[in-house]
């Protein structure tokens, strides 16, 4: 049987105090509604219908997919009215799952349970027991069976005492849903067409209402303002951290890690506090990440160490390498096996060969550096003439003395040596020593200036 998912996202989200539609506010750098869409895809949705009210253009520009259809709800007349906007698209003989664009953390396993719970002649409903049910629709049961939902504003004192609450998430047959929605009335305390009224309609036809429940409340919580959004972000991050630890990673503090993308790990990976992972990051076996690192779209090889306060983006760090503390490895850089980069070294589009070292205070841009090269402290590749970028090539076993400027394009051959403090603008041949600096003069009996009266 096919599955269609209707995602309600028509609310304006006034309390976000934002020009962005509410559902585009992000958890882990991804719009809330995209988390919902991902979950829908994970339970094999054939079609997804997004019911929107505001910011349709921004939404359709940001959220795309062949399985996605945008359905406008011009006026927000209630959740039942919202789902009804999508009914022209729904087939009679399919399952329809209703989700919410601002409820981003529902687990796929929970949705699967809801789908599995649905009786052939009836629907299934995701409910949750809350110690404080204020504001939620209450689940009304008779001799154990669900017979209806009553909204907070329409409830009697007796009904208000019910702790089992409606999450809003439900699954029904398409044909049933269309019939029930067509017969909704807005004769209630809020003057809205309540989706929740379909439960009584289902019961009145003698059909069954099964229930499923999330593992934790956070799975069914929505974000109406930025305080709630931040709370969901922390919940999401803790979930990611726990998944990493259960996968074998050691985290110094699971409350101090942020994963805004995909983090793949090998065995015995150790991560210290306050690290941020963005895009797609791979940490191979035995990798150690120090405190306060930002890693984006990069691969860190086996037993490599990224020391504290290092930023790596769009780069490959080879096996057994060490980087940092306070290093910045920018896109297009590759550190080959067992190479080392130390504090205050910046690399851009640079290849550092196996066993090579650049320990301190250096800029390496557009450079191709061979094996076992020592790049002295304070080396600068002058790769930019104000208009063009040029390459610096350094051969195997070369030695670059401290405080050297390498004016690109320039070629330092293998086993060449460059004296400290040199400005090298001409190629250096194999095994040559190049020294390019002012000659030292020592002046005897030098009198230092005296203070003027
Ligand atoms: C709804 C449920 C309530 C449940 C609660 C869970 C109904 C009548 N009530 O109440 O039983 O406990 O959610 O949070 O369904 N929306 C639209 N178009 C509309 C109205 C709403 O797209 O015309 C969307 C909103 O953007 C929001 C969601 O539907 O994402 C829920 O709407 P809201 O008005 O917040 O419903 P509640 O009153 O919280
Ligand atoms: Ca609500």
């Amino acid at each position: 049987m096919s599955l269609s998912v209707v995602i309600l996202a028509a609310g304006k989200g006034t309390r976000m105090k934002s020009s962005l539609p509410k559902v585009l506010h992000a958890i882990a750098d991804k719009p809330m509604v995209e988390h919902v869409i991902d979950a829908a895809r994970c339970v094999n949705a054939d079609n997804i219908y997004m019911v929107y009210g505001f910011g349709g253009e921004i939404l359709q520009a940001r959220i795309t997919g062949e399985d996605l259809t945008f359905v406008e709800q011009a006026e927000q007349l209630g959740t039942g009215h919202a789902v009804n906007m999508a009914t022209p698209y729904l087939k009679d003989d399919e399952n329809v799952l209703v989700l919410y664009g601002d409820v981003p953390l529902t687990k796929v396993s929970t949705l699967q349970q809801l789908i599995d719970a649905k009786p052939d002649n009836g629907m299934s409903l995701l409910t949750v027991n809350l110690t404080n049910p204020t504001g939620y629709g209450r689940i009304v049961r008779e001799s154990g069976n669900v017979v209806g939902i009553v909204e907070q504003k329409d409830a009697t004192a007796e009904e208000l005492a019910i702790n089992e609450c409606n999450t809003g998430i439900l699954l029904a047959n398409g044909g049933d849903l269309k019939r029930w929605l067509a017969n909704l009335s807005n004769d209630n305390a809020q003057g809205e067409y309540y989706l929740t009224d379909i439960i009584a309609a289902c019961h009145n036809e003698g059909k069954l209402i099964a229930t499923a429940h999330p593992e934790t409340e956070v799975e069914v919580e929505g974000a109406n303002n930025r305080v709630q959004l931040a709370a969901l972000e922390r919940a999401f991050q803790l979930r990611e951290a726990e998944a990493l630890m259960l996968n074998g990673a050691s985290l110094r503090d699971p409350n101090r890690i942020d994963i805004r993308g995909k983090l793949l790990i090998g065995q015995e990976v150790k991560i210290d506090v306050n690290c941020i992972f963005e895009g797609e990051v791979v940490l191979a076996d035995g990798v150690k990440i120090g405190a306060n690192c930002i890693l984006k779209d990069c691969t860190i090889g086996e037993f490599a160490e990224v020391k504290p306060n290092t930023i790596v983006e769009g780069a490959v760090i080879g096996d057994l390498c060490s980087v940092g503390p306070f290093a910045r490895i920018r896109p297009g850089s590759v550190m080959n096996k067992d190479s080392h980069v130390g504090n205050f070294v910046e690399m851009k589009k640079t290849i550092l060969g196996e066993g090579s070292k650049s320990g301190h205070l250096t800029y390496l841009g557009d450079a191709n550096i061979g094996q076992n090269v020592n790049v002295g402290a304070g080396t600068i590749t002058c790769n930019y003439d104000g208009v063009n970028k040029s390459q610096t090539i350094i051969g195997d076993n070369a030695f670059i003395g401290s405080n050297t400027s390498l004016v690109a394009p320039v070629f330092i051959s293998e086993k060449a040596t460059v004296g400290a403090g040199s400005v090298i603008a001409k190629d250096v041949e194999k095994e040559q020593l190049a020294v390019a600096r002012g000659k030292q003069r020592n002046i005897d009996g030098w009198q230092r200036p005296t203070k003027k009266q």
Side-chain angles (χ1 to χ4, degrees), residues 173-221:
N173 163 270
D176 287 347
L177 195 59
K178 288 183 200 176
R179 189 171 62 256
W180 299 332
L181 289 175
N183 288 313
L184 289 184
S185 109
N186 63 353
D187 184 14
N188 53 48
Q190 299 183 79
E192 287 181 7
Y193 295 93
Y194 291 162
L195 175 63
T196 45
D197 284 348
I198 70 167
I199 281 73
C202 176
H203 172 70
N204 290 338
E205 289 182 7
K207 293 188 162 160
L208 301 174
I209 298 114
T211 55
H213 317 283
E215 271 171 56
T216 56
E217 283 174 29
V218 77
E219 284 192 60
V220 294
E221 276 170 13

Side-chain angles (χ1 to χ4, degrees), residues 8-11 22 51 73 75-79 81-82 100-102 135-137 149 151 166-168 190 192 194-196:
L8 301 196
K22 175 162 84 165
V51 181
Q73 186 195 21
E75 259 189 300
Q76 279 67 61
L77 303 179
T79 49
H81 179 258
Y100 299 81
D102 59 351
Y136 285 83
I149 295 179
E151 290 302 299
N166 175 33
T167 66
Q190 299 183 79
E192 287 181 7
Y194 291 162
L195 175 63
T196 45

Side-chain angles (χ1 to χ4, degrees), residues 6-59:
V6 179
I7 300 177
L8 301 196
K12 194 170 186 177
T14 316
R15 282 171 285 172
M16 285 290 180
K17 308 247 163 84
S18 172
S19 53
L20 206 62
K22 175 162 84 165
V23 298
L24 287 184
H25 284 265
I27 299 288
D29 277 354
K30 187 159 79 175
M32 286 195 279
V33 71
E34 251 188 84
H35 289 266
V36 180
I37 291 169
D38 286 352
R41 287 179 181 149
C42 284
V43 292
N44 301 315
D46 297 285
N47 295 292
I48 300 173
Y49 301 100
M50 273 269 279
V51 181
Y52 70 94
F54 300 90
E57 268 169 41
I58 309 176
L59 266 172

